[in-house]
Amino acid sequence: MSEDGEPTVRAELMEQVPNIAMFLHERRPNFPAAFSRYLVPIVVRYLTDPNNQVRKTSQAALLVLLEQGLISKNDVESKVCPVLLDLTTPNSDDDYKIEAVAIMCKLVSMLTKDTVEHLLLHRFCDLCSDGRLFQVRKVCAANFGDFCSIVGQDATEKHLIAKFFELCSDSVWGIRKACAECFMTVSNSTCPEVRRTKLSPLFISLISDPSRWVRQAAFQSLGRFISTFANPAGAGLYFKEDKCTPAGRSEIAVEGSTCREQDKNRCESGNCKGAPTAGSEAAQITPSNCTEERGAQPASPAPCKAEEQRCLPAASENSNNSAEASPESSEDTYNSFNYWRPPLPDISQDLELLQPQDKGERESVWSSEGPATRREIQKALESLQPHMDDPDVQAQVQVLSAALKAAQLDAHSEEELPEASQDSCGTTQQQQEQQEQHETPLLASPSDGADPSDSEAPPVSNVGVEPPVKKPPLDYDPYDNRMMPQLIENVQELHMEQDPDLLFEEETSKLQNVIPQQLLDQYLSMTDPARAQTVDTEIAKHCAFSLPGVALTLGRQNWHCLKDTYETLATDVQWKVRRTLAFSIHELAVILGEQLTAADLLPIFNGFLKDLDEVRIGVLKHLYDFLKLLHADKRREYLFQLQEFMVTDNSRNWRFRYELAEQLILIVELYSHNDIYDYLRQIALTLCSDKVSEVRWISYRLVVEILRKFYMNGANDLGLNFLNELIMRFCHCPKWVGRQAFAFICQAVVEEDCMPMGQFAQHLLPSLIALSADPVANVRVLVAKALRQTVLEKAYFKDAGCPHQETVEETVIALQADRDRDVRFFASLDPSASTEDTAALI
């Protein structure tokens, strides 16, 4: 039959192969080698069948056999893999190659690491570079993560990373999109250094891809990729806020500015790549120390300007030590870190003589930097105009426009200074301009052929401090990320002169060293409305979905980076975005801890409580998990709002009330018995009278937990009041459903042992026995079941000295003679026998 000329017969035969293989596997002693000898060769031969339907059927059969483990490892290596390798050679048929690549990629997850490395890894690398069929490269890209997961970190970094870079830059957008989708899996298979230095820039290129579909896939994977940077030791999950001693603002300012200036133009993605300038005596902080300081507290460059201005005069006053200055030979090696000096020797004797000259020089230095910065901003804005369609460019234009306006206002205010004030400084505006012209050689770069020693103006001599280098105007390219740090640096320096405190707060809210800053910036931009128009209409939902993972990666110490984004998402106009946050707010509360939760999450949580039912259900499903993280005082405030969950937009939404009952069962343990009696008791009674039977059934368990709480805490009076209320509300209910509910409650109370049996026999049992004469058969059925299968099986009622034993037994005998057949059945049924489900009787 396997050699039949009719394709339909061969295809039908392949569909039966898995069943035949299972039959032979179960009877292996009788057929030890039949499957390997006869069936496996047929399946493998059909992979090259000329009929497409036969090939598809054989591929499906092969995958089923592999999933069920029916093919031995020896058969896979000796029979299946050689055929796949032959079909994927460069000279094989295109259709066969595409199908074989798909099978090989699916086969990887079912093979061992050694088998994949030995047989398939090198061929897979060759297929990733197939220049003739983009379908082959697309299949490889879609399954790239599976290969990385199987072969492990070493083989991934040695063989696969280079191929992944090729696929990410492929000319076909579908291949780049597939790479973006599997980026997280690939990242998990690499070391942190490769992830930070190689994969992060590669992912940034995918986010700025010309294809909208690639950008969409990249943004959807951005949060998952960021989560691969998570480190429990650095994320702060075990951080004890009450034992933390925060550093003072002065320490943060000095240490942060030191690290920032040392890293400037030398650090990439938060990792220091170079050492400080050799001519600086103070440059003794190693790159690792710099990283640790930035990790301990987000560094702010705000007070750097003030420190620099304080250091410049002191350094310039010591003009006698000018021989120790060491100017660099290139503009690229200029590092303003050298301005931070150890305490200098006492030069008070020369202070009166040198102060006027140094002051004028200092003013000329800073006044010369200001216009250069404004010219750079203006040129950058002009170069950005043709690219205004890009949301990233729009954001840059907004930042640069604000900076330019601030620079212009600052320059205008300087021009309007009173003459008396200028005279008191010892220089007029004309004198400053003349002095600036004289000092031009001092500010020129050595690379331009200017020698500071040939300056006409008196030289400013600093101990170990190289002369400041005037930066040339930037030739700005909006898509060249290498130009952005220098321009942003100039903008930051301009803002530092105007409002250091404001910049301190802004920079502190953005700085972190857990992940590359560009990744975080792109993630925060997902809430930009322009992204929804140019990338994906649901990009905000993807941002909300991955936010807990990003928060876990950054740690609670970096929550300030995400706070504004979270608040923006919480007020998003799309209810799906708010719903996503509502379902994960309890997880975020675990990450942030009690203090940050109370400060930042509670207002958003309160807003979700008043939102649509589609959003409120997310909060309700994890209400217990969230409330248990709050302080007792904060938690008690929500007792008043639990009643609001009883009101829904649609009264038919019974699952909402069902979820409320489930959560209340857990919430009982969080509050005192008095609070439960005052607030939860009434909700439980209302749910027990619900129109939907499922809601009533789960509510009986809530009543049991409330009674257990009362009696475990010795609140017998509250328990007795609750029992009397149950009797009045349900046992004497004019509707039979209420009386039936009382029988269910009694049965649940006895089964769960939530109260002493003596109390039950005294307060509930007489009312339950009275219902044995109820005119409605459905009520008597539940009474018979409760008495026969639950009450009489308790040791309390089996005791011969029990005063209620005789009454219960007589009632059961009477029910066994009831006129209704179902009542007689449950009253006579042996409790050890399997019984029918009576939930339908509710």
Side-chain angles (χ1 to χ4, degrees), residues 567-699:
E567 293 175 351
T568 302
L569 292 172
T571 56
D572 195 275
V573 295
Q574 300 183 65
W575 64 266
K576 292 182 179 180
V577 177
R578 304 194 304 274
R579 174 185 170 94
T580 303
L581 293 181
F583 270 93
S584 62
I585 192 171
H586 68 290
E587 298 288 356
L588 192 58
V590 174
I591 297 171
L592 298 184
E594 181 179 318
Q595 294 183 5
L596 290 176
T597 297
D600 299 333
L601 295 189
L602 277 185
I604 297 175
F605 181 82
N606 295 335
F608 288 159
L609 294 179
K610 303 174 183 178
D611 212 315
L612 301 175
D613 286 352
E614 289 80 3
V615 179
R616 296 169 68 205
I617 189 63
V619 174
L620 181 58
K621 273 186 173 294
H622 304 283
L623 185 61
Y624 165 76
D625 297 326
F626 186 82
L627 291 179
K628 72 178 181 181
L629 300 173
L630 302 181
H631 190 269
D633 296 336
K634 287 287 184 181
R635 186 189 306 145
R636 195 172 186 277
E637 295 177 2
Y638 289 93
L639 279 171
F640 305 93
Q641 303 184 36
L642 292 176
Q643 183 69 33
E644 298 178 3
F645 283 106
M646 297 294 295
V647 181
T648 58
D649 298 337
N650 184 3
S651 59
R652 297 182 179 179
N653 188 9
W654 62 269
R655 290 180 178 84
F656 200 91
R657 300 189 298 275
Y658 183 91
E659 192 65 43
L660 174 61
E662 280 194 327
Q663 289 297 310
L664 290 179
I665 293 174
L666 302 173
I667 289 174
V668 165
E669 72 176 51
L670 301 179
Y671 296 100
S672 66
H673 54 273
N674 290 321
D675 289 338
I676 292 174
Y677 185 84
D678 294 337
Y679 299 101
L680 301 189
R681 171 184 56 89
Q682 191 59 41
I683 299 177
L685 294 175
T686 303
L687 291 173
C688 287
S689 303
D690 198 88
K691 298 179 179 179
V692 180
S693 60
E694 289 291 336
V695 178
R696 296 198 302 270
W697 178 255
I698 192 67
S699 301

Side-chain angles (χ1 to χ4, degrees), residues 512-552:
Q512 51 80 39
N513 68 336
V514 179
I515 63 175
Q517 189 65 33
Q518 279 187 309
L519 291 179
L520 180 60
D521 293 341
Q522 292 292 344
Y523 179 79
L524 299 180
S525 70
M526 293 175 71
T527 58
D528 188 354
R531 294 288 190 193
Q533 300 176 1
T534 59
V535 179
D536 186 5
T537 56
E538 293 190 350
I539 189 172
K541 181 181 177 182
H542 296 298
C543 179
F545 180 81
S546 57
L547 195 141
V550 177
L552 176 63

Side-chain angles (χ1 to χ4, degrees), residues 378-398:
Q378 291 174 348
K379 189 170 183 180
L381 286 173
E382 294 175 359
S383 63
L384 288 173
Q385 293 302 322
H387 310 282
M388 288 300 293
D389 294 337
D390 193 325
D392 292 331
V393 176
Q394 295 176 5
Q396 296 177 22
V397 169
Q398 293 177 359

Side-chain angles (χ1 to χ4, degrees), residues 253-516:
V254 174
E255 294 174 1
S257 59
T258 301
C259 289
R260 176 180 175 271
E261 293 298 335
Q262 183 180 0
D263 288 346
K264 184 174 58 179
N265 296 329
R266 294 179 180 273
C267 292
E268 179 180 1
S269 301
N271 288 336
C272 296
K273 298 296 181 184
T277 305
S280 172
E281 297 177 2
Q284 300 176 357
I285 301 178
T286 63
S288 59
N289 291 336
C290 177
T291 304
E292 291 175 1
E293 290 294 333
R294 295 178 66 180
Q297 175 69 31
S300 173
C304 298
K305 202 70 172 182
E307 288 285 31
E308 190 170 331
Q309 290 175 350
R310 287 195 296 270
C311 292
L312 273 176
S316 60
E317 287 168 4
N318 194 5
S319 58
N320 296 329
N321 298 325
S322 60
E324 296 181 16
S326 57
E328 298 294 332
S329 60
S330 173
E331 179 182 305
D332 294 336
T333 60
Y334 165 72
N335 196 333
S336 59
F337 169 79
N338 297 318
Y339 281 102
W340 279 265
R341 303 295 304 154
L344 296 175
D346 185 12
I347 55 174
S348 57
Q349 296 179 357
D350 301 328
L351 181 60
E352 297 179 359
L353 179 63
L354 298 177
Q355 184 174 6
Q357 175 183 349
D358 295 336
K359 187 170 184 179
E361 292 173 354
R362 184 179 74 238
E363 291 178 353
S364 65
V365 168
W366 294 115
S367 62
S368 64
E369 286 190 1
T373 302
R374 291 193 291 273
R375 288 196 298 270
E376 293 170 2
I377 298 175
Q378 291 174 348
K379 189 170 183 180
L381 286 173
E382 294 175 359
S383 63
L384 288 173
Q385 293 302 322
H387 310 282
M388 288 300 293
D389 294 337
D390 193 325
D392 292 331
V393 176
Q394 295 176 5
Q396 296 177 22
V397 169
Q398 293 177 359
V399 174
L400 297 177
S401 300
L404 180 61
K405 182 177 180 181
Q408 294 173 347
L409 292 176
D410 184 63
H412 183 67
S413 61
E414 290 178 356
E415 293 175 357
E416 295 180 353
L417 285 174
E419 294 182 359
S421 176
Q422 295 181 4
D423 293 338
S424 64
C425 297
T427 52
T428 62
Q429 185 173 358
Q430 296 178 354
Q431 292 173 340
Q432 290 179 4
E433 293 176 354
Q434 295 175 358
Q435 190 173 7
E436 181 179 357
Q437 294 175 358
H438 288 298
E439 292 177 351
T440 301
L442 176 65
L443 299 175
S445 172
S447 61
D448 296 333
D451 187 357
S453 63
D454 297 335
S455 174
E456 297 178 1
V460 180
S461 300
N462 300 330
V463 180
V465 180
E466 58 187 83
V469 181
K470 184 175 180 179
K471 302 176 184 178
L474 294 175
D475 186 10
Y476 187 72
D477 182 0
Y479 294 103
D480 188 357
N481 292 330
R482 295 174 298 177
M483 305 296 291
M484 197 61 185
Q486 185 177 358
L487 183 60
I488 293 300
E489 179 188 339
N490 293 338
V491 176
Q492 290 175 348
E493 292 177 356
L494 186 62
H495 279 291
M496 279 191 288
E497 297 178 356
Q498 298 171 5
D499 194 348
D501 294 334
L502 179 61
L503 185 61
F504 180 86
E505 297 176 358
E506 292 178 354
E507 288 295 326
T508 303
S509 66
K510 297 177 182 178
L511 290 179
Q512 51 80 39
N513 68 336
V514 179
I515 63 175

